[in-house]
Amino acid sequence: MSSRLVKEYKLIFKTLSQDPTYSHILSLSPSSDENLRQWESVISGPPETAYYGHNFILLFEVPSNYPLEPPKVQFQANAVPHCNVDYDSGRICLNILEDAHWTPAWDLLHCVHAIWLLLANPEPDSPLDVDLACLIRAKDFSAHNTLVAYYLNGGSRGSK
Amino acid sequence: MSCGDCPICLEPLDYGRSRLTECGHEYHWDCIRKWHHHSQDLKCPTCRAESHFLKNVDQNLVVDLKKNSAANRVISEISEQVRHLALGTEASQRSWTLSTLECGICGALDSEINRYCTLCYSAYHEQCLRTLQFEVGDFSSRVYCCNCHGTFRDSEPERVGSASHRTGRLRRPIRSSPIAASAVLGGGEFEVDESWKLLSQLQQESRLLEHKRQIQSHVRKALHTHFQQSLAQSQSVSKGQFTDINKTVSRHLYRISGNVYQPETVNYDLEAQKLIICELAKIGKTDTHNFIHL
């Protein structure tokens, strides 16, 4: 299946350099030339959110029977305060990345785009960060955004 | 992604093109079967619509997916066995004495079972066996046991009495089932898929390739005749154009003959020449007089 990855690499390179709808994806490529199963991506924070102005690093691990199985994706640890992201590990809760919802018609670009959309549209009903989810559920968006901005600008989360 | 690519492997859909009948999305035969086998449902990867039928456009055959999803699992077991035989573990295969009175393919336990292998004591529905053989590309009229590959002697169908049900039923030792054995040997799900793919692909495609090769020989012959003449008149086409014409003409010929070489109904030499002229006209080399005397 690694021939699919090579094809995908070429396709993604072409799309990113030509299609302006993906301008928020600053990069998406294998981490090194030797290993096509480890990918890395940098996305910019969606506009009109507390994440705007910050860049976020995504780490991919592509399983050997990809695309039958979804890629394993996570944010860099201790970098992303978001109600569907586990801050300490960077783990992401997103249904299309689960075995039951994944389909092989999607590729890595779809995943990155979906995660970018998740940044702008937090889903408080399946939270990994309960504090942020509670603020969203209470519709206290200014508190939510302030808290996110506080963490993004180096604020301490205290001990867990 | 262009519409001519398989969404699963991203390769062009120029062989094994198959269409899900419900939504019309197209994939390679192997890719979509492999995905359905993996996902354990019959949904379309693109739109999630469930299709019960898959049409192989190349070979113009329709397969009932729902009926055969059980057969699929058996195919992976068989291919696993083939792998084991190749590894020289025949001895361990002998100890696998499946002897239940349920159909070895669909698993149903009913009185419809009408094939009974006397060599390894396996029972089957004849319908299941035939479907299975069709799936792996065996179109012969003979059926054989998919466990020991022995042929069935033509005997009176075994009636399954309810008494023998309870008492006369041996169970297969779990330890030596092929799947468990593969786990011990370090084989994974992925390898099962791979060998399954190999088995069906080899049988289906070798037949197809033979036909295509025969058709292609006619195209080559026509192309060479043509280009020897055009060379003399210093009208040459580039190597890329030559390959393109070869490809387009061959594909067209595969299509019109339904991927089966049938020299008695199709005049391949003549068809190839006509198509080559068409193709040359498209790229602006219309020296058709070359072919007038052919």
Side-chain angles (χ1 to χ4, degrees):
Chain A
M1 280 295 168
S2 67
S3 68
R4 145 122 184 183
L5 273 175
V6 175
K7 279 227 148 196
E8 217 173 282
Y9 184 27
K10 286 180 193 155
L11 216 67
I12 286 171
F13 185 78
K14 209 172 128 197
T15 313
L16 287 184
S17 57
Q18 289 172 0
D19 193 343
T21 51
Y22 292 106
S23 59
H24 53 272
I25 301 173
L26 304 178
S27 75
L28 171 59
S29 60
S31 311
S32 69
D33 288 342
E34 292 92 57
N35 189 358
L36 216 53
R37 305 219 165 271
Q38 308 252 343
W39 286 55
E40 216 174 284
S41 177
V42 181
I43 54 175
S44 63
E48 293 165 33
T49 66
Y51 304 96
Y52 187 64
H54 297 267
N55 291 341
F56 304 95
I57 298 173
L58 282 164
L59 304 167
F60 284 80
E61 205 169 309
V62 185
S64 59
N65 54 353
Y66 179 81
L68 295 182
E69 265 180 36
K72 290 184 175 57
V73 199
Q74 59 168 64
F75 277 111
Q76 205 178 28
N78 299 312
V80 185
H82 186 281
C83 82
N84 304 111
V85 178
D86 183 38
Y87 188 85
D88 297 326
S89 66
R91 194 162 65 87
I92 302 167
C93 176
L94 183 60
N95 63 358
I96 67 153
L97 299 176
E98 288 162 12
D99 283 355
H101 290 89
W102 169 256
T103 103
W106 284 327
D107 60 15
L108 298 176
L109 194 65
H110 284 94
C111 295
V112 179
H113 189 61
I115 290 165
W116 183 79
L117 289 170
L118 183 73
L119 277 184
N121 305 285
E123 179 48 69
D125 290 333
S126 54
L128 287 173
D129 189 313
V130 184
D131 294 343
L132 289 171
C134 282
L135 288 173
I136 294 171
R137 266 189 225 145
K139 301 211 185 314
D140 191 349
F141 298 112
S142 69
H144 172 266
N145 291 348
T146 314
L147 193 57
V148 168
Y150 170 71
Y151 291 143
L152 285 176
N153 292 316
S156 161
R157 284 177 63 91
S159 57
K160 252 201 169 175
Chain B
M1 185 185 314
S2 75
C3 58
D5 289 344
C6 168
I8 297 180
C9 66
L10 306 179
E11 301 288 339
L13 273 171
D14 48 10
Y15 66 92
R17 188 190 191 107
S18 310
R19 187 179 301 141
L20 290 168
T21 51
E22 193 63 37
C23 56
H25 287 117
E26 293 186 336
Y27 305 90
H28 287 128
W29 178 265
D30 292 330
C31 292
I32 188 65
R33 298 308 310 262
K34 206 165 162 180
W35 168 246
H36 280 157
H37 182 67
H38 180 86
S39 66
Q40 300 283 309
D41 60 29
L42 300 175
K43 286 179 183 159
C44 168
T46 308
C47 65
R48 295 190 193 277
E50 196 174 86
S51 285
H52 289 179
F53 295 94
L54 179 67
K55 179 174 179 169
N56 190 323
V57 181
D58 279 356
Q59 293 175 29
N60 203 16
L61 54 89
V62 178
V63 167
D64 185 336
L65 291 173
K66 203 165 177 74
K67 213 167 162 185
N68 292 342
S69 57
N72 271 346
R73 282 193 276 283
V74 176
I75 292 171
S76 22
E77 283 202 21
I78 297 169
S79 47
E80 189 60 22
Q81 281 187 340
V82 170
R83 202 169 69 89
H84 279 275
L85 289 170
L87 286 170
T89 54
E90 278 175 81
S92 74
Q93 293 296 311
R94 297 269 179 268
S95 68
W96 189 47
T97 49
L98 172 66
S99 173
T100 54
L101 288 177
E102 54 200 36
C103 171
I105 294 172
C106 70
L109 210 155
D110 54 32
S111 54
E112 300 297 318
I113 288 174
N114 46 10
R115 283 290 181 176
Y116 193 73
C117 177
T118 46
L119 294 170
C120 68
Y121 310 108
S122 307
Y124 305 97
H125 294 116
E126 178 157 13
Q127 188 55 40
C128 291
L129 279 170
R130 293 208 182 272
T131 317
L132 181 64
Q133 281 181 215
F134 180 69
E135 273 271 295
V136 298
D138 183 347
F139 301 101
S140 65
S141 59
R142 229 160 45 109
V143 285
Y144 32 85
C145 174
C146 65
N147 180 31
C148 68
H149 301 282
T151 44
F152 292 95
R153 55 176 189 149
D154 267 326
S155 59
E156 194 62 12
E158 293 272 346
R159 291 298 300 177
V160 181
S162 54
S164 66
H165 246 214
R166 285 193 292 274
T167 55
R169 192 164 136 192
L170 304 171
R171 286 185 192 282
R172 130 167 71 138
I174 294 163
R175 197 163 33 84
S176 53
S177 86
I179 294 298
S182 83
V184 172
L185 284 168
E189 175 87 16
F190 187 56
E191 279 167 16
V192 178
D193 283 350
E194 281 300 305
S195 44
W196 174 74
K197 184 179 165 183
L198 210 72
L199 193 76
S200 61
Q201 202 180 3
L202 282 180
Q203 288 179 333
Q204 270 183 8
E205 288 199 356
S206 65
R207 202 161 291 141
L208 192 65
L209 269 178
E210 188 45 46
H211 287 301
K212 287 195 171 180
R213 203 174 294 128
Q214 283 168 320
I215 296 172
Q216 259 242 315
S217 69
H218 287 278
V219 180
R220 277 218 194 96
K221 208 174 94 192
L223 269 172
H224 279 292
T225 330
H226 175 73
F227 284 107
Q228 266 160 17
Q229 288 170 357
S230 63
L231 211 66
Q233 297 162 16
S234 68
Q235 286 173 319
S236 57
V237 291
S238 72
K239 202 170 175 187
Q241 285 170 325
F242 185 94
T243 328
D244 283 343
I245 294 171
N246 190 0
K247 235 188 254 175
T248 333
V249 173
S250 306
R251 277 191 197 148
H252 191 88
L253 287 179
Y254 300 158
R255 234 184 352 261
I256 58 172
S257 50
N259 285 318
V260 180
Y261 182 60
Q262 29 192 323
E264 57 283 340
T265 47
V266 182
N267 186 343
Y268 284 105
D269 286 319
L270 197 72
E271 288 296 332
Q273 282 162 16
K274 273 195 256 170
L275 287 162
I276 290 167
I277 296 168
C278 282
E279 286 306 313
L280 282 170
K282 274 185 209 161
I283 57 168
K285 305 218 180 261
T286 47
D287 47 339
T288 48
H289 61 272
N290 274 342
F291 279 91
I292 286 165
H293 66 278
L294 280 170

Short mmCIF file of all heavy atoms in Angstrom, two decimals, chain A residues 1 3-4 7-8 11 64-65 67-69 96 99-107 110, chain B residues 1 5 7-12 27 31 34-35 38 44-46 48 189-190 193-194 197:
data_model
loop_
_atom_site.label_atom_id
_atom_site.label_comp_id
_atom_site.label_asym_id
_atom_site.label_seq_id
_atom_site.Cartn_x
_atom_site.Cartn_y
_atom_site.Cartn_z
N MET A 1 0.82 -1.21 0.00
CA MET A 1 0.00 0.00 0.00
C MET A 1 0.86 1.26 0.00
O MET A 1 0.33 2.36 -0.02
CB MET A 1 -0.90 0.01 1.24
CG MET A 1 -2.12 -0.87 1.06
SD MET A 1 -3.23 -0.29 -0.22
CE MET A 1 -4.30 -1.69 -0.41
N SER A 3 2.60 2.35 -2.27
CA SER A 3 2.50 3.06 -3.56
C SER A 3 1.37 4.08 -3.50
O SER A 3 1.42 5.12 -4.13
CB SER A 3 2.27 2.07 -4.70
OG SER A 3 0.98 1.49 -4.57
N ARG A 4 0.34 3.76 -2.70
CA ARG A 4 -0.74 4.73 -2.52
C ARG A 4 -0.19 5.97 -1.81
O ARG A 4 -0.54 7.10 -2.15
CB ARG A 4 -1.87 4.10 -1.70
CG ARG A 4 -2.56 5.05 -0.80
CD ARG A 4 -4.04 5.20 -1.01
NE ARG A 4 -4.53 6.25 -0.10
CZ ARG A 4 -5.78 6.61 0.03
NH1 ARG A 4 -6.70 6.02 -0.68
NH2 ARG A 4 -6.13 7.55 0.87
N LYS A 7 1.66 8.12 -4.24
CA LYS A 7 0.69 8.85 -5.08
C LYS A 7 0.08 10.01 -4.31
O LYS A 7 -0.10 11.10 -4.82
CB LYS A 7 -0.42 7.88 -5.50
CG LYS A 7 -0.03 7.03 -6.67
CD LYS A 7 -1.14 7.04 -7.69
CE LYS A 7 -0.56 6.89 -9.09
NZ LYS A 7 -1.50 7.25 -10.12
N GLU A 8 -0.27 9.71 -3.05
CA GLU A 8 -0.90 10.72 -2.22
C GLU A 8 0.05 11.90 -2.01
O GLU A 8 -0.37 13.06 -2.03
CB GLU A 8 -1.26 10.10 -0.88
CG GLU A 8 -2.57 10.59 -0.33
CD GLU A 8 -2.98 9.83 0.91
OE1 GLU A 8 -3.48 8.71 0.79
OE2 GLU A 8 -2.78 10.38 2.00
N LEU A 11 0.02 14.00 -5.04
CA LEU A 11 -1.28 14.67 -5.15
C LEU A 11 -1.39 15.82 -4.16
O LEU A 11 -1.87 16.92 -4.50
CB LEU A 11 -2.37 13.64 -4.88
CG LEU A 11 -3.65 13.75 -5.68
CD1 LEU A 11 -3.39 13.45 -7.14
CD2 LEU A 11 -4.68 12.77 -5.14
N SER A 64 0.43 0.11 8.48
CA SER A 64 0.93 -0.62 7.31
C SER A 64 -0.22 -0.99 6.36
O SER A 64 0.02 -1.11 5.16
CB SER A 64 1.67 -1.87 7.74
OG SER A 64 0.80 -2.70 8.48
N ASN A 65 -1.43 -1.17 6.87
CA ASN A 65 -2.51 -1.48 5.92
C ASN A 65 -3.39 -0.26 5.60
O ASN A 65 -4.54 -0.41 5.25
CB ASN A 65 -3.36 -2.66 6.40
CG ASN A 65 -3.89 -2.42 7.79
OD1 ASN A 65 -3.51 -1.46 8.44
ND2 ASN A 65 -4.75 -3.28 8.26
N PRO A 67 -4.77 2.28 3.08
CA PRO A 67 -5.88 3.07 3.62
C PRO A 67 -7.03 2.25 4.21
O PRO A 67 -8.10 2.80 4.38
CB PRO A 67 -6.35 3.82 2.39
CG PRO A 67 -6.14 2.87 1.28
CD PRO A 67 -4.93 2.07 1.64
N LEU A 68 -6.83 0.96 4.47
CA LEU A 68 -7.92 0.20 5.08
C LEU A 68 -8.12 0.67 6.52
O LEU A 68 -9.22 0.69 7.03
CB LEU A 68 -7.61 -1.29 5.06
CG LEU A 68 -7.52 -1.93 3.66
CD1 LEU A 68 -7.25 -3.41 3.77
CD2 LEU A 68 -8.79 -1.69 2.88
N GLU A 69 -7.02 1.05 7.15
CA GLU A 69 -7.12 1.59 8.50
C GLU A 69 -6.79 3.07 8.49
O GLU A 69 -5.97 3.51 7.69
CB GLU A 69 -6.14 0.86 9.42
CG GLU A 69 -6.79 -0.28 10.17
CD GLU A 69 -5.83 -1.00 11.08
OE1 GLU A 69 -4.96 -0.32 11.67
OE2 GLU A 69 -5.95 -2.22 11.19
N ILE A 96 -14.05 10.81 12.37
CA ILE A 96 -13.59 10.22 11.11
C ILE A 96 -12.22 9.55 11.26
O ILE A 96 -11.80 8.81 10.39
CB ILE A 96 -13.50 11.26 9.96
CG1 ILE A 96 -12.41 12.29 10.22
CG2 ILE A 96 -14.83 11.92 9.72
CD1 ILE A 96 -11.86 12.85 8.93
N ASP A 99 -11.80 3.85 13.56
CA ASP A 99 -11.97 2.73 12.62
C ASP A 99 -13.38 2.66 12.07
O ASP A 99 -13.59 2.42 10.88
CB ASP A 99 -11.65 1.41 13.32
CG ASP A 99 -10.14 1.22 13.45
OD1 ASP A 99 -9.42 2.07 12.90
OD2 ASP A 99 -9.71 0.26 14.09
N ALA A 100 -14.38 2.89 12.94
CA ALA A 100 -15.77 2.67 12.52
C ALA A 100 -16.24 3.72 11.51
O ALA A 100 -17.16 3.47 10.75
CB ALA A 100 -16.67 2.69 13.74
N HIS A 101 -15.63 4.89 11.51
CA HIS A 101 -16.09 5.94 10.61
C HIS A 101 -15.17 6.20 9.44
O HIS A 101 -15.50 6.90 8.51
CB HIS A 101 -16.27 7.25 11.39
CG HIS A 101 -17.43 7.22 12.33
ND1 HIS A 101 -17.30 6.77 13.61
CD2 HIS A 101 -18.72 7.54 12.16
CE1 HIS A 101 -18.48 6.84 14.20
NE2 HIS A 101 -19.37 7.30 13.34
N TRP A 102 -13.97 5.65 9.50
CA TRP A 102 -12.99 5.90 8.45
C TRP A 102 -13.42 5.24 7.15
O TRP A 102 -14.04 4.18 7.17
CB TRP A 102 -11.64 5.35 8.91
CG TRP A 102 -10.62 5.30 7.82
CD1 TRP A 102 -10.21 4.20 7.13
CD2 TRP A 102 -9.87 6.41 7.29
NE1 TRP A 102 -9.27 4.55 6.21
CE2 TRP A 102 -9.04 5.89 6.28
CE3 TRP A 102 -9.83 7.77 7.59
CZ2 TRP A 102 -8.17 6.69 5.57
CZ3 TRP A 102 -8.96 8.56 6.84
CH2 TRP A 102 -8.14 8.03 5.86
N THR A 103 -13.14 5.90 6.02
CA THR A 103 -13.27 5.19 4.74
C THR A 103 -11.99 5.45 3.93
O THR A 103 -11.37 6.50 4.05
CB THR A 103 -14.50 5.63 3.90
OG1 THR A 103 -14.05 6.48 2.86
CG2 THR A 103 -15.56 6.30 4.72
N PRO A 104 -11.62 4.46 3.09
CA PRO A 104 -10.37 4.59 2.33
C PRO A 104 -10.44 5.65 1.24
O PRO A 104 -9.44 5.93 0.59
CB PRO A 104 -10.18 3.20 1.75
CG PRO A 104 -11.53 2.60 1.71
CD PRO A 104 -12.28 3.19 2.87
N ALA A 105 -11.64 6.23 1.04
CA ALA A 105 -11.74 7.28 0.03
C ALA A 105 -11.15 8.60 0.55
O ALA A 105 -10.96 9.54 -0.22
CB ALA A 105 -13.18 7.49 -0.39
N TRP A 106 -10.87 8.67 1.84
CA TRP A 106 -10.25 9.86 2.39
C TRP A 106 -8.74 9.74 2.35
O TRP A 106 -8.18 8.64 2.34
CB TRP A 106 -10.69 10.05 3.84
CG TRP A 106 -12.07 10.56 3.96
CD1 TRP A 106 -12.72 11.41 3.13
CD2 TRP A 106 -13.00 10.23 5.01
NE1 TRP A 106 -14.00 11.64 3.58
CE2 TRP A 106 -14.19 10.93 4.72
CE3 TRP A 106 -12.93 9.43 6.15
CZ2 TRP A 106 -15.31 10.84 5.54
CZ3 TRP A 106 -14.05 9.35 6.96
CH2 TRP A 106 -15.22 10.05 6.66
N ASP A 107 -8.05 10.88 2.36
CA ASP A 107 -6.60 10.83 2.43
C ASP A 107 -6.11 11.75 3.54
O ASP A 107 -6.91 12.33 4.29
CB ASP A 107 -5.96 11.16 1.07
CG ASP A 107 -6.35 12.55 0.58
OD1 ASP A 107 -6.85 13.34 1.40
OD2 ASP A 107 -6.14 12.85 -0.60
N HIS A 110 -7.52 15.27 3.71
CA HIS A 110 -8.85 15.34 4.31
C HIS A 110 -8.74 15.40 5.83
O HIS A 110 -9.45 16.16 6.48
CB HIS A 110 -9.68 14.10 3.94
CG HIS A 110 -10.21 14.12 2.54
ND1 HIS A 110 -9.55 13.53 1.49
CD2 HIS A 110 -11.34 14.66 2.03
CE1 HIS A 110 -10.25 13.71 0.40
NE2 HIS A 110 -11.33 14.39 0.68
N MET B 1 -8.04 14.67 -7.66
CA MET B 1 -8.13 13.28 -8.13
C MET B 1 -9.03 13.23 -9.37
O MET B 1 -10.16 13.68 -9.34
CB MET B 1 -8.71 12.46 -6.99
CG MET B 1 -8.77 11.00 -7.25
SD MET B 1 -9.59 10.16 -5.88
CE MET B 1 -8.81 10.88 -4.46
N ASP B 5 -9.66 7.52 -11.55
CA ASP B 5 -8.82 6.81 -10.61
C ASP B 5 -9.65 6.08 -9.57
O ASP B 5 -10.74 6.52 -9.22
CB ASP B 5 -7.86 7.78 -9.90
CG ASP B 5 -6.79 8.29 -10.83
OD1 ASP B 5 -6.60 7.68 -11.89
OD2 ASP B 5 -6.15 9.30 -10.50
N PRO B 7 -10.62 5.40 -5.99
CA PRO B 7 -10.44 6.23 -4.80
C PRO B 7 -9.67 5.52 -3.69
O PRO B 7 -9.19 6.16 -2.77
CB PRO B 7 -11.87 6.51 -4.33
CG PRO B 7 -12.74 6.20 -5.48
CD PRO B 7 -12.04 5.16 -6.28
N ILE B 8 -9.55 4.21 -3.78
CA ILE B 8 -8.87 3.49 -2.70
C ILE B 8 -7.36 3.44 -2.92
O ILE B 8 -6.59 3.80 -2.04
CB ILE B 8 -9.46 2.08 -2.53
CG1 ILE B 8 -10.93 2.20 -2.12
CG2 ILE B 8 -8.68 1.27 -1.50
CD1 ILE B 8 -11.65 0.91 -1.93
N CYS B 9 -6.92 3.04 -4.11
CA CYS B 9 -5.47 2.94 -4.31
C CYS B 9 -4.95 4.10 -5.15
O CYS B 9 -3.74 4.23 -5.33
CB CYS B 9 -5.11 1.61 -4.96
SG CYS B 9 -5.74 1.44 -6.63
N LEU B 10 -5.81 4.94 -5.67
CA LEU B 10 -5.47 6.12 -6.47
C LEU B 10 -4.85 5.78 -7.82
O LEU B 10 -4.33 6.65 -8.51
CB LEU B 10 -4.53 7.08 -5.71
CG LEU B 10 -5.00 7.54 -4.33
CD1 LEU B 10 -3.96 8.45 -3.70
CD2 LEU B 10 -6.33 8.27 -4.42
N GLU B 11 -4.86 4.48 -8.19
CA GLU B 11 -4.34 4.10 -9.50
C GLU B 11 -5.47 4.22 -10.53
O GLU B 11 -6.64 4.16 -10.18
CB GLU B 11 -3.85 2.65 -9.47
CG GLU B 11 -2.76 2.35 -8.47
CD GLU B 11 -1.42 2.95 -8.87
OE1 GLU B 11 -1.22 3.23 -10.07
OE2 GLU B 11 -0.58 3.17 -7.97
N PRO B 12 -5.10 4.38 -11.83
CA PRO B 12 -6.14 4.49 -12.86
C PRO B 12 -7.01 3.23 -12.92
O PRO B 12 -6.53 2.13 -12.69
CB PRO B 12 -5.35 4.64 -14.16
CG PRO B 12 -3.97 5.01 -13.76
CD PRO B 12 -3.75 4.53 -12.38
N TYR B 27 -14.59 1.32 -8.36
CA TYR B 27 -13.33 0.97 -7.72
C TYR B 27 -12.71 -0.18 -8.48
O TYR B 27 -13.35 -0.80 -9.31
CB TYR B 27 -13.56 0.52 -6.26
CG TYR B 27 -14.32 1.52 -5.45
CD1 TYR B 27 -15.71 1.49 -5.39
CD2 TYR B 27 -13.65 2.52 -4.76
CE1 TYR B 27 -16.41 2.42 -4.67
CE2 TYR B 27 -14.35 3.46 -4.03
CZ TYR B 27 -15.73 3.41 -3.98
OH TYR B 27 -16.41 4.35 -3.26
N CYS B 31 -9.71 -3.82 -4.80
CA CYS B 31 -9.71 -2.78 -3.76
C CYS B 31 -11.03 -2.80 -2.99
O CYS B 31 -11.04 -2.79 -1.77
CB CYS B 31 -9.49 -1.41 -4.38
SG CYS B 31 -7.85 -1.19 -5.05
N LYS B 34 -11.55 -5.97 -0.96
CA LYS B 34 -10.66 -5.95 0.20
C LYS B 34 -11.22 -5.04 1.29
O LYS B 34 -11.19 -5.36 2.47
CB LYS B 34 -9.29 -5.44 -0.25
CG LYS B 34 -8.15 -5.91 0.60
CD LYS B 34 -6.86 -5.66 -0.15
CE LYS B 34 -5.69 -5.70 0.78
NZ LYS B 34 -4.46 -5.45 0.08
N TRP B 35 -11.77 -3.90 0.85
CA TRP B 35 -12.33 -2.96 1.83
C TRP B 35 -13.56 -3.55 2.50
O TRP B 35 -13.71 -3.49 3.72
CB TRP B 35 -12.65 -1.62 1.17
CG TRP B 35 -13.48 -0.74 2.05
CD1 TRP B 35 -14.75 -0.33 1.84
CD2 TRP B 35 -13.09 -0.18 3.32
NE1 TRP B 35 -15.17 0.44 2.89
CE2 TRP B 35 -14.18 0.55 3.82
CE3 TRP B 35 -11.92 -0.24 4.08
CZ2 TRP B 35 -14.15 1.21 5.03
CZ3 TRP B 35 -11.88 0.43 5.30
CH2 TRP B 35 -12.99 1.15 5.76
N HIS B 38 -12.56 -5.97 4.96
CA HIS B 38 -11.97 -5.34 6.15
C HIS B 38 -13.05 -4.68 7.00
O HIS B 38 -13.06 -4.82 8.23
CB HIS B 38 -10.95 -4.29 5.71
CG HIS B 38 -10.29 -3.58 6.85
ND1 HIS B 38 -9.18 -4.09 7.48
CD2 HIS B 38 -10.58 -2.43 7.47
CE1 HIS B 38 -8.83 -3.28 8.46
NE2 HIS B 38 -9.67 -2.26 8.47
N CYS B 44 -20.38 1.87 0.61
CA CYS B 44 -19.50 2.49 -0.36
C CYS B 44 -18.54 3.42 0.38
O CYS B 44 -18.99 4.24 1.19
CB CYS B 44 -20.33 3.29 -1.36
SG CYS B 44 -19.36 4.36 -2.40
N PRO B 45 -17.24 3.33 0.13
CA PRO B 45 -16.29 4.20 0.83
C PRO B 45 -16.52 5.69 0.53
O PRO B 45 -16.16 6.54 1.32
CB PRO B 45 -14.93 3.76 0.30
CG PRO B 45 -15.14 2.40 -0.22
CD PRO B 45 -16.56 2.36 -0.72
N THR B 46 -17.10 5.99 -0.62
CA THR B 46 -17.27 7.38 -0.99
C THR B 46 -18.54 7.99 -0.38
O THR B 46 -18.51 9.09 0.15
CB THR B 46 -17.33 7.53 -2.52
OG1 THR B 46 -16.19 6.87 -3.06
CG2 THR B 46 -17.33 8.97 -2.94
N ARG B 48 -21.08 5.96 1.50
CA ARG B 48 -21.64 5.12 2.58
C ARG B 48 -22.98 4.49 2.23
O ARG B 48 -23.66 3.96 3.11
CB ARG B 48 -21.79 5.91 3.88
CG ARG B 48 -20.47 6.37 4.47
CD ARG B 48 -20.71 6.93 5.85
NE ARG B 48 -19.54 7.64 6.35
CZ ARG B 48 -18.51 7.07 6.91
NH1 ARG B 48 -18.49 5.78 7.06
NH2 ARG B 48 -17.48 7.78 7.35
N GLU B 189 -3.72 -10.41 9.84
CA GLU B 189 -4.88 -10.14 8.99
C GLU B 189 -4.44 -9.64 7.63
O GLU B 189 -4.97 -10.01 6.60
CB GLU B 189 -5.75 -9.08 9.68
CG GLU B 189 -6.93 -8.60 8.87
CD GLU B 189 -8.13 -9.48 9.08
OE1 GLU B 189 -8.14 -10.24 10.05
OE2 GLU B 189 -9.04 -9.42 8.25
N PHE B 190 -3.40 -8.84 7.66
CA PHE B 190 -2.92 -8.22 6.42
C PHE B 190 -2.44 -9.28 5.44
O PHE B 190 -2.72 -9.23 4.26
CB PHE B 190 -1.78 -7.26 6.78
CG PHE B 190 -1.32 -6.45 5.60
CD1 PHE B 190 -2.22 -5.67 4.89
CD2 PHE B 190 0.01 -6.46 5.21
CE1 PHE B 190 -1.80 -4.92 3.82
CE2 PHE B 190 0.43 -5.70 4.15
CZ PHE B 190 -0.49 -4.94 3.46
N ASP B 193 -5.31 -11.12 3.86
CA ASP B 193 -5.83 -10.31 2.76
C ASP B 193 -4.95 -10.44 1.54
O ASP B 193 -5.42 -10.62 0.43
CB ASP B 193 -5.88 -8.83 3.17
CG ASP B 193 -7.08 -8.59 4.06
OD1 ASP B 193 -7.92 -9.49 4.18
OD2 ASP B 193 -7.16 -7.50 4.63
N GLU B 194 -3.65 -10.35 1.76
CA GLU B 194 -2.72 -10.39 0.66
C GLU B 194 -2.83 -11.70 -0.11
O GLU B 194 -2.89 -11.71 -1.33
CB GLU B 194 -1.29 -10.21 1.18
CG GLU B 194 -0.92 -8.79 1.50
CD GLU B 194 -1.02 -7.88 0.27
OE1 GLU B 194 -0.41 -8.19 -0.76
OE2 GLU B 194 -1.73 -6.87 0.36
N LYS B 197 -6.02 -11.97 -2.01
CA LYS B 197 -5.95 -11.14 -3.21
C LYS B 197 -5.17 -11.87 -4.29
O LYS B 197 -5.58 -11.95 -5.43
CB LYS B 197 -5.24 -9.83 -2.84
CG LYS B 197 -5.20 -8.83 -3.99
CD LYS B 197 -4.51 -7.58 -3.55
CE LYS B 197 -4.14 -6.73 -4.75
NZ LYS B 197 -3.41 -5.54 -4.41
#
